[in-house]
């Protein structure tokens, strides 16, 4: 028997730079281990090992994935005992609110050989600079892509019937949130997906696998998908439902999905790069182009749409390539730090944390 596992991103490489929702996702925890140490010191491995260990014992586990490294974990949360472990190094620096009571720093730097690192000082400095330059170039390209996307959206915004779009939103809200819950709602903010060095990645199937009704929003840029999701978020919260709000990994001002598990309901932007189609009972399509956009808009503006879409794709590919360069430099740093690490010490740190987590689960059972 394994626990419920959820995977998501809480930080993203966006058109505005790196933007984090880590504090929002950690705010309800009673215990938080903040890992410090350089690349290659074993932070991700430590978190993943503990997550798998307690997942296999039947406990629920949330894995917070790294947007800059497809194979890396930035955090793990055990929601049943409100305990978490997180990478507290840049760019997602976590500051303690109740040091020693709620949060505890764990310094994996205790396990490295500083003399070994000093031998590679120039290489480390070069890799750090290349890593930073890669991100700066990626964010600049993402920002250019956003401006192109805004122009692309403008075509459909100018041809949208906002009254019809509002009717679609209100029909969905009436269907799922007409019954009010006698409690105050909670909201948690995350990312639907992320632009990674290997391209776009999302966890929509995992996050919605136990949600009875899934609405797949189809449409075009600027056809009101995000606006509808924002309005539905307000409707759900005003009715007392807890809401998981998933932002666009490219533009955090835009929403790509909301889940209200108490209502058995998820609705998400199901267009590229996170395009899905109904595959089970309870899946439905909401076509915003058909519902609210002037018929023939695609055909009438075909040349402009093709121009913007090609420009956008080129800039996005350029940004992803820069993320790849940053990742390559990071891999170089990891290799140097790994040579200087005593992983037996890291294993002992892992076991010390595991004992505290196990004790919390034991107390939960008793």
């Amino acid at each position: 028997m394994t626990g419920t596992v959820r995977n998501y991103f809480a930080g993203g490489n966006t058109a505005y730079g790196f933007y984090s929702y880590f504090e929002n996702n950690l705010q309800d925890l009673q215990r938080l281990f903040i890992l410090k140490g350089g690349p290659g010191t074993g932070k991700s491995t430590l978190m993943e090992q503990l997550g798998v260990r307690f997942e296999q014992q039947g406990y629920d586990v949330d894995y917070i994935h790294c947007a800059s490294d497809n194979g890396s974990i930035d955090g793990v949360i055990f929601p049943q005992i409100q305990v978490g472990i997180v990478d507290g190094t840049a760019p997602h620096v976590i500051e303690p609110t109740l040091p020693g009571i709620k949060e505890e720093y764990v310094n994996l730097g205790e396990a490295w050989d500083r003399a070994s690192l000093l031998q590679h000082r120039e290489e480390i400095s070069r890799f750090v600079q290349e890593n930073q330059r890669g991100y700066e170039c990626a964010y600049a390209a993402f920002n250019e892509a956003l401006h192109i996307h805004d122009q692309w959206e403008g075509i459909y915004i100018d041809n949208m019937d906002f009254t019809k779009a509002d009717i679609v939103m209100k029909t969905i809200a009436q269907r799922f949130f007409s019954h009010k819950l006698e409690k105050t709602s909670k909201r948690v903010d995350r990312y639907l997906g992320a632009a990674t060095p290997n391209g776009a990645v999302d966890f929509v199937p995992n996050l919605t696998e136990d949600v009875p009704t899934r609405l797949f929003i189809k449409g075009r840029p600027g056809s009101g998908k995000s606006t509808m999701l924002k309005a539905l978020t307000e409707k759900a919260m005003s009715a007392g439902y807890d809401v998981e709000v998933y932002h666009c990994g490219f533009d955090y001002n835009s929403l790509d999905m909301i889940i209200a598990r108490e209502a058995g309901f998820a609705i998400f932007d199901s267009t590229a790069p996170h395009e899905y189609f109904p595959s089970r009972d309870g899946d439905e399509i909401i076509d915003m182009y058909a519902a609210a956009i002037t018929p023939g808009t695609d055909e009438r503006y075909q040349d402009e749409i093709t121009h913007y879409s090609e420009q956008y794709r080129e800039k996005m590919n350029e940004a992803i390539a820069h993320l790849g360069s940053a990742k390559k430099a990071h891999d170089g740093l990891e290799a140097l730090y790994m040579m200087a690490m005593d992983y037996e010490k890291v294993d002992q740190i892992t076991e010390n944390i595991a004992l505290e987590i196990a004790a919390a689960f034991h107390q939960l059972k008793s």
Side-chain angles (χ1 to χ4, degrees), residues 112-130:
W112 64 39
D113 179 359
R114 185 170 182 272
S116 175
L117 292 175
L118 286 172
Q119 295 176 13
H120 300 280
R121 179 169 185 157
E122 290 185 6
E123 286 179 88
I124 291 173
S125 177
R126 175 170 59 83
F127 282 135
V128 167
Q129 291 175 16
E130 290 177 358

Side-chain angles (χ1 to χ4, degrees), residues 4 71-72 113 125 186 204 221 229 270 277-278 284 292 300 302 361:
T4 298
S72 188
D113 179 359
S125 177
K186 289 184 178 180
V204 170
L229 291 174
S270 184
F277 295 92
E284 304 173 25
R300 190 175 306 112
Q302 182 178 357
F361 277 123

